[in-house]
Amino acid sequence: MPGKEEKEVEECKVNMAEKTTESNSKEEEKKNGSEESPIKNEALSLLAQGRRHLFVKDYPSAVTVLGEACAKLAEIYGELGDECGDAYFNYGRALLEQSREESNLLNEKDVDGDKDDTDDEENEVENGEEKIDEREEKDNEEEKTEKEDEKTLNENEEDKPIDEGKTNNEGKTNDEGEMNDEKTNDEEKSNDEEKTNDDEEDVNNLQLAWEIFELAKVIYSRQNNEAKLAETYLYLGEVSLESENYTSAVEDMKQCLEIQKKILPEDHRDIAETLFQLGVACSFQNLFEESKAFHTSACEVLQLRIKNLKSGCYSEESNSNPFYSVEKEIEEINNILPEIKEKIDDVEDLKREAMKSVLEMTLKGVSSLDGAGSSSQNGNTEKPAATNISHLIKKKRKPEDDLSPKSAKKKQVE
């Protein structure tokens, strides 16, 4: 009897252990996401589609698809899961490029509208004399007809009594006019609301891109993925540049440059691109010397790249990429260098204009003070007349069109 009881107890223990192992395996499967594999596969397929749309520059489709992919991956792994990093990175790029595309379209519409206005003004000036003559003839004819009509109306009013139906018709026409006015006011209000909604969407695209890149930055910094972290800092700087927040743009781009100098060779084209973007951001802050220094450093990096390519330091890249050739890359860099040198000349022009405006304002201020002193020395007790001091107020200088981050295309030096 005791032997049978021991066997039964052992069998019960074995059964309990099997059940616990099965339950533990199920819990592990849940944690690993095996039950959520359909959602995971759908998210990964959406991520691949979004990258494809981004590659072919179909930015609206990329934004919608990558947004869905980010939502599904965050549902599985959490908002700051490691698997969400690449999805956030690509989603932020799509949002940034879509906002740039929309701003470029708006600028093109404004330019076309200005051209149409100038053409209309020129046509009016050319045909002005003919129109004036025609109007004078029409006015004379209308005056004659009005006088004749007044005479006939006066004669008819003396003979016929006032018709009550006419007064009713006049009241109806007034009511219809009021209804039409209300409709036009409603249409104007709806148009204004649509415009405000469009403006909010533009702002939200850049704001959302900044938030998404911030999430990617947290994930990549936790993973110690310095290459992706440097790219994320660069895109954060570009978002700030589009938003005209130049101080944060310079800070983020400097963080990117610091990481790139650690992990990349000194002649890498990514370093040259970051230096170029830093020069653009500094020019908008009126930091002309720093802007010139960054642009000059970008040229030096590219020139060093050409030197190393000619010496045969990067012959291995031709084996990894069948479409690569040293001659082709040297030609690309030689085409980029003149554009950067033009930017340096533009910065010098901006610097001279700024100094000129400052000198003019100071000279005007000194002359106005001299005039006030001479009048007081003459012994005039009367209060001096108020002078116009608008020239002493420092106005914000508008940057040139070719340096605007919204209208100018980003110079690709990569």
Side-chain angles (χ1 to χ4, degrees), residues 153-177:
L153 286 171
N154 291 326
E155 291 175 356
N156 292 327
E157 286 177 356
E158 291 176 356
D159 296 333
K160 293 182 180 181
I162 298 169
D163 192 359
E164 293 179 356
K166 289 182 181 180
T167 58
N168 293 325
N169 290 327
E170 289 176 356
K172 290 180 181 179
T173 54
N174 292 325
D175 294 334
E176 290 176 354

Side-chain angles (χ1 to χ4, degrees), residues 42-224:
E42 186 179 358
L44 293 175
S45 65
L46 288 170
L47 180 59
Q49 290 176 13
R51 286 174 176 171
R52 195 179 303 114
H53 290 309
L54 194 59
F55 180 75
V56 299
K57 297 182 180 181
D58 186 5
Y59 301 125
S61 300
V63 167
T64 55
V65 172
L66 289 170
E68 293 177 2
C70 290
K72 291 183 182 297
L73 289 172
E75 183 181 354
I76 299 169
Y77 301 106
E79 190 177 27
L80 294 175
D82 292 340
E83 293 81 1
C84 299
D86 291 337
Y88 289 151
F89 181 78
N90 288 287
Y91 185 38
R93 286 178 59 200
L95 288 167
L96 175 60
E97 295 299 335
Q98 186 181 12
S99 65
R100 282 174 174 168
E101 193 175 59
E102 290 173 354
S103 63
N104 289 331
L105 289 172
L106 291 173
N107 290 328
E108 288 177 359
K109 287 181 181 179
D110 293 336
V111 171
D112 293 335
D114 294 335
K115 288 182 179 178
D116 293 334
D117 293 336
T118 53
D119 293 335
D120 294 334
E121 289 177 357
E122 289 177 356
N123 292 326
E124 287 178 358
V125 170
E126 290 176 356
N127 300 323
E129 295 179 355
E130 295 178 358
K131 288 181 180 179
I132 290 168
D133 295 333
E134 291 177 357
R135 286 176 183 174
E136 289 178 354
E137 291 177 358
K138 287 181 181 180
D139 292 335
N140 293 326
E141 292 178 356
E142 287 177 357
E143 287 178 358
K144 291 179 182 179
T145 53
E146 284 177 359
K147 289 179 181 178
E148 292 176 356
D149 292 335
E150 286 177 358
K151 289 180 181 178
T152 53
L153 286 171
N154 291 326
E155 291 175 356
N156 292 327
E157 286 177 356
E158 291 176 356
D159 296 333
K160 293 182 180 181
I162 298 169
D163 192 359
E164 293 179 356
K166 289 182 181 180
T167 58
N168 293 325
N169 290 327
E170 289 176 356
K172 290 180 181 179
T173 54
N174 292 325
D175 294 334
E176 290 176 354
E178 291 177 356
M179 292 292 290
N180 292 325
D181 293 334
E182 290 178 356
K183 288 181 180 179
T184 54
N185 291 326
D186 293 333
E187 289 177 355
E188 289 177 355
K189 288 180 180 178
S190 63
N191 292 326
D192 294 333
E193 289 177 356
E194 289 178 355
K195 289 179 180 179
T196 54
N197 290 327
D198 293 335
D199 295 335
E200 289 178 357
E201 287 178 359
D202 293 336
V203 173
N204 287 334
N205 280 334
L206 288 174
Q207 181 65 27
L208 183 58
W210 183 82
E211 293 175 359
I212 292 297
F213 279 126
E214 283 289 331
L215 290 173
K217 183 183 76 173
V218 172
I219 294 170
Y220 290 140
S221 61
R222 188 179 65 237
Q223 293 176 344
N224 292 324

